[in-house]
Amino acid sequence: MLPGQQEGGRSVIFGWPSCQEKISNNDLDNLATCCSNIMASMLDVLWEDRDVRFDITAQQMKMRPGEVLIDCLDSIEDTKGNNGDRGRLLVTNLRIIWHSLALPRVNLSVGYNSIINITTRTANSKLRGQTEALYILTKSNNTRFEFIFTNVVPGSPRLFTSVIAVHRAYETSKMYRDLKLRGALIQNKQLRLLPREEVYDKINGVWNLSSDQGNLGTFFITNVRIVWHANMNESFNVSIPYLQIRSIRIRDSKFGLALVIESSQQTGGYVLGFKIDPMDKLQDAVKEINSLHKVYSANPIFGVDYEMEEKPQPLEELTVDQPPDDVEIEPDEQTDAFTAYFADGNKQQDREPMFSEELGIAVEKLKEGFTLQGLWEVMG
């Protein structure tokens, strides 16, 4: 069965020790050192499409490898947190970035994977008055944030079309980024290729060690991922993008030496084993996968393809140097950068005041299900 049982808090495809444990056989240790490559998964350090961040540094605003600028919209107001402040909205294949034109260090980054819903609603803008705006509801680290963006230039739907279309492209291209079990991967014994995907090698007679007997199948090695499927049942398969791979090793098992792939912690740390004979064929497969993984890491293919009719300027030309501040900002004040975006349903007016014995002052009555202690923990 894919995936296998739980072992030590991790999902395993077969019952081997974790990749961190040493193997007693010295010869096997040497072989594993020569024929495998342990790398930190890109996904473990990739935050741009997953996180909601406020007031990020100029370095964090730069495009990471594989991230491309799709659209740039000037005169966009952050109506929720900076109402009345004209800014610029950058739409990339991983996130949207907004920054104030007057003070670029006032900014935010919203990853597409954190977005729960995108809609258009009427909002009250200081620059446009009552107007249609883009509402984005997100969830990051178990906290919901709401963002409202208004195009200060009247009559332009580009704000809505760009963000909604690129987010849809992100949602429909998860096969590039997610480990997939039992997917619609194979058609007529051939891999269903993704756009920009190329098959570099096809290896027959590969055993998946997910059961006591193993399952005989076929390996596809491409520039984006590794795919295995059972010969007797094509729906029994697994797709492992290079983005998800944490380690590739040759390990010992009750079936003999085998290829072991460990996925990133973001996907539960799956451990998958494959038996390839003879030994030189196994070594060649490991070297080829490692080589393609390195090439992919240098310029990842995230699969979000969307082109605007009007090409935006390069980000370098749009970047504004942040002048040094001549005032010192108290650290406690920085909490306002994200508290302004807390999602509070369809609140139309302030709730009635009540006396807080904990604070010794009158405060707005908390929303049902919230406590002062919980809010302090979020802010901390």
Side-chain angles (χ1 to χ4, degrees), residues 141-193:
N141 296 324
N142 295 320
T143 303
R144 291 192 175 213
F145 298 104
E146 184 182 56
F147 301 91
I148 305 173
F149 297 108
T150 302
N151 196 336
V152 178
V153 179
S156 174
R158 192 164 145 195
L159 169 63
F160 312 115
T161 56
S162 291
V163 176
I164 293 175
V166 175
H167 176 254
R168 186 181 296 115
Y170 177 89
E171 287 293 300
T172 55
S173 59
K174 290 187 176 181
M175 197 66 75
Y176 288 87
R177 304 179 300 275
D178 292 354
L179 187 149
K180 182 71 174 177
L181 302 172
R182 296 185 179 275
L185 308 177
I186 308 298
Q187 187 173 25
N188 298 326
K189 299 189 181 299
Q190 295 299 318
L191 178 64
R192 299 175 63 180
L193 292 177

Side-chain angles (χ1 to χ4, degrees), residues 24-237:
S24 57
N25 189 317
N26 291 332
D27 293 336
L28 184 56
D29 269 338
N30 294 333
L31 181 61
T33 301
C34 295
C35 297
S36 69
N37 180 31
I38 306 303
M39 70 289 288
S41 167
M42 290 179 56
L43 193 67
D44 289 335
V45 296
L46 177 68
W47 62 268
E48 284 83 356
D49 68 330
R50 298 198 317 266
D51 289 359
V52 173
R53 296 192 180 186
F54 302 92
D55 299 342
I56 60 177
T57 65
Q59 183 65 31
Q60 292 173 326
M61 290 183 69
K62 291 182 179 180
M63 304 291 102
R64 68 170 295 118
E67 184 177 14
V68 295
L69 180 64
I70 295 176
D71 199 5
C72 174
L73 298 97
D74 286 317
S75 301
I76 302 297
E77 177 192 68
D78 172 20
T79 308
K80 177 79 173 183
N82 295 279
N83 202 336
D85 192 357
R86 190 184 299 259
R88 174 180 290 132
L89 190 76
L90 306 175
V91 182
T92 83
N93 57 334
L94 297 178
R95 55 178 169 161
I96 58 175
I97 304 169
W98 180 90
H99 71 83
S100 167
L101 291 175
L103 203 58
R105 67 175 177 79
V106 176
N107 59 64
L108 54 90
S109 173
V110 180
Y112 296 133
N113 199 50
S114 69
I115 295 178
I116 300 174
N117 188 34
I118 300 181
T119 58
T120 57
R121 284 193 243 161
T122 301
N124 189 15
S125 163
K126 289 184 179 180
L127 297 178
R128 283 284 310 277
Q130 204 81 3
T131 185
E132 191 175 24
L134 184 70
Y135 275 66
I136 301 177
L137 181 63
T138 69
K139 186 176 182 180
S140 178
N141 296 324
N142 295 320
T143 303
R144 291 192 175 213
F145 298 104
E146 184 182 56
F147 301 91
I148 305 173
F149 297 108
T150 302
N151 196 336
V152 178
V153 179
S156 174
R158 192 164 145 195
L159 169 63
F160 312 115
T161 56
S162 291
V163 176
I164 293 175
V166 175
H167 176 254
R168 186 181 296 115
Y170 177 89
E171 287 293 300
T172 55
S173 59
K174 290 187 176 181
M175 197 66 75
Y176 288 87
R177 304 179 300 275
D178 292 354
L179 187 149
K180 182 71 174 177
L181 302 172
R182 296 185 179 275
L185 308 177
I186 308 298
Q187 187 173 25
N188 298 326
K189 299 189 181 299
Q190 295 299 318
L191 178 64
R192 299 175 63 180
L193 292 177
L194 303 170
R196 300 171 63 189
E197 183 178 25
E198 300 176 18
V199 175
Y200 278 77
D201 201 359
K202 178 182 178 181
I203 305 176
N204 296 311
V206 179
W207 292 86
N208 184 314
L209 308 181
S210 60
S211 64
D212 292 337
Q213 295 81 25
N215 290 281
L216 184 62
T218 303
F219 228 15
F220 291 94
I221 301 174
T222 82
N223 60 328
V224 174
R225 56 181 172 162
I226 303 167
V227 176
W228 177 90
H229 75 87
N231 291 339
M232 298 297 292
N233 182 6
E234 293 180 351
S235 64
F236 187 69
N237 56 52

